[in-house]
Structure formats: structure tokens, C-alpha cells
Amino acid sequence: MKKFLAALLAMCMVCSLAACSSGGTTDPADSNTGDESGNTAESSGATTEVIVFAAASLTETLEQIAEDYKEVAPDVTLTFNFDSSGTLKTQIQEGADCDVFISAAQKQMDQLDANADPAVNTEGLDFVLRGTRLDLLENKVTLAVPDGNPKGIDSFDSLAQHLQAGDILLAMGNSDVPVGQYTQKILTFYGLDEAALANAGCITYGTNVKEVTTQVREGSVDAGVIYATDAFSDGLTVVDEATADMCGQVIYPAAVLNTSAHQEAAQAFLDYLSTDEAMAVFESVGFSPVS
């Protein structure tokens, strides 16, 4: 009887160990708790960061749009880098992480686009994802003056006359900044020598449009050439608007970069920027769709 009980006990212990061994090993296929697409519960709850490099003049509008986009894509976090388009182009070229680039002029986008004119893309750079580039917005170049308009500047014609007389200080963007490049075209339109005016102390510069705007707002200059949207955002007095003959159209191109780690999410955000909802935000400060 004792031998029988001992054998029975041994059998029970073997069965118990076998059950534990079976319960401790799981088929990977059985552990997949995701949906039919293969997404696991953890991955479906993950947040995707989309990094947007955008011209400084887009600061207020894109920050507002980012708040609206949380309702559209709650699993996407937008991170912005605002600066002059020339600075942003250089950062992209040097390897900075960027998913979407929005420039304040075609030149900086062309310099990164393998499909652009080689005369502009002189370095043969290839950063723009094919099929994603679009002309997103149009802006206007304006002449703004500080409160009280001490020098009585009321037009670009008036500005040119004062610059010729050498009795004012004008703020404009650097030559690598789109707003500065537009200003250079305006000076050329009036036959004015930028270098001579700068040497005479009639011109001061800003590294981006926000710096120019600040100089006008603080009254440290007599006038500044900035975008209509920046004048609106800062509540500045605009006395004139440049025509296409003076400086051409002010077009903001946008594109997903082929170096993006999240091209699908980046394209989704770029698509959203063309929707009626996003465009209403842009238009509220003076931007317009490209006609």
C-alpha cells in the first residue's frame, strides 16, 4: 500500500511540473492582443512627433492650428522650429531632424529640391519628397511705421524719397531672409543702392522678419518692410503694400522631406494645412490661398 501511494504521489508531481512548464511558455501568436492590422495595444497608443520647420512669419498661425490639430490627430505631437527660411534651409542641409518644411519663398525650397532649376539648386541637394511639394499660401510685403509715424512716411514712393535724402532709418531683413530679398527688389525697383544706404546709416537689418517687426514696434526705426501678416499680428500701422512689379508674388511653398522618419504623419499634417479649417486661421491674419 505504501509503495502504491508513493508511486501515485510521484505521478502527481510529474503532472504538476508539466502543467507549470506548459503555462510558462506562450506562443508569440497567442500573445498578440492587437487588431487585425497587427498593431499592438502599446503601439496604437503611441504618439508620433512631427517636426515642422517654418518661416518665422507663420509663428502665430501655426501655433493656433496646432491646437486645432489635436482634435484631428490626438496621437500626433507637432514640434515647431521657427526662423528665417535661409537659416532653416541650412539646418536641414546640415542634418537637422525635420519632417515638414514651409518656406516664405520659393528660393529656399528650390535649393533643397532635386527637381528645381539647377541654377538655383546649385549644390544638387535632394531633400524634398517627390509629389509632396505645393504652394500653400500667399502673403503681401508691406511698409509699416511705428506709432505716430514721426517722419510722415505714407508710401513706398515716400520711403524712396526719404532714403535718397538720407534722413530716415529703415529696417529690413538680411539678404538670406526672404523678406530681405523682397526688400532688395523694392530698392532696385526705385534705383536705390542698398550698400550705399547701409554705409550711410540709413538701413539696419534683422535676421528674420520678427526682428524687423520688433524694431518697428519699439520705434527704434522710422519704417520697416515686413509681411502683412506680421503687421497684423503686432498691430502695426501699414502705410503701403508692395505690388508684384516691385517684388513679385510672395508665395510660401511647403513639402514633406524625404529624410522624414514619419512621412505618412507628415503628409497628413501637410494635407490638413490646405483644409478650410486651417485656411480660415491663415486668412484671419492676412494670408490667402495661392490663386
Side-chain angles (χ1 to χ4, degrees), residues 1-13:
M1 183 65 178
K2 290 181 178 180
K3 291 181 178 180
F4 173 76
L5 291 175
L8 182 61
L9 179 60
M11 290 177 63
C12 289
M13 291 178 65

Side-chain angles (χ1 to χ4, degrees), residues 3-148:
K3 291 181 178 180
F4 173 76
L5 291 175
L8 182 61
L9 179 60
M11 290 177 63
C12 289
M13 291 178 65
V14 170
C15 291
S16 176
L17 289 171
C20 290
S21 176
S22 175
T25 302
T26 305
D27 188 330
D30 294 336
S31 66
N32 187 355
T33 59
D35 57 25
E36 294 180 359
S37 65
N39 294 326
T40 64
E42 181 178 356
S43 65
S44 63
T47 298
T48 300
E49 181 185 28
V50 173
I51 302 174
V52 181
F53 280 29
S57 51
L58 290 163
T59 302
E60 292 82 8
T61 48
L62 283 183
E63 287 178 344
Q64 182 177 340
I65 286 172
E67 291 299 313
D68 299 336
Y69 197 61
K70 290 178 182 179
E71 299 296 322
V72 177
D75 58 339
V76 172
T77 297
L78 296 173
T79 299
F80 294 110
N81 178 22
F82 296 109
D83 211 320
S84 74
S85 299
T87 297
L88 298 175
K89 173 262 176 184
T90 299
Q91 291 174 353
I92 291 170
Q93 181 180 353
E94 293 177 347
D97 290 337
C98 175
D99 299 299
V100 176
F101 178 40
I102 310 175
S103 173
Q106 300 285 13
K107 179 181 178 179
Q108 288 72 24
M109 186 68 76
D110 285 344
Q111 290 173 331
L112 298 173
D113 190 349
N115 290 327
D117 186 345
V120 181
N121 186 1
T122 56
E123 299 172 89
L125 300 178
D126 183 12
F127 284 88
V128 174
L129 183 64
R130 293 188 179 185
T132 67
R133 180 173 174 173
L134 76 157
D135 290 339
L136 181 64
L137 300 165
E138 182 173 359
N139 207 342
K140 298 295 182 183
V141 173
T142 63
L143 180 61
V145 295
D147 286 344

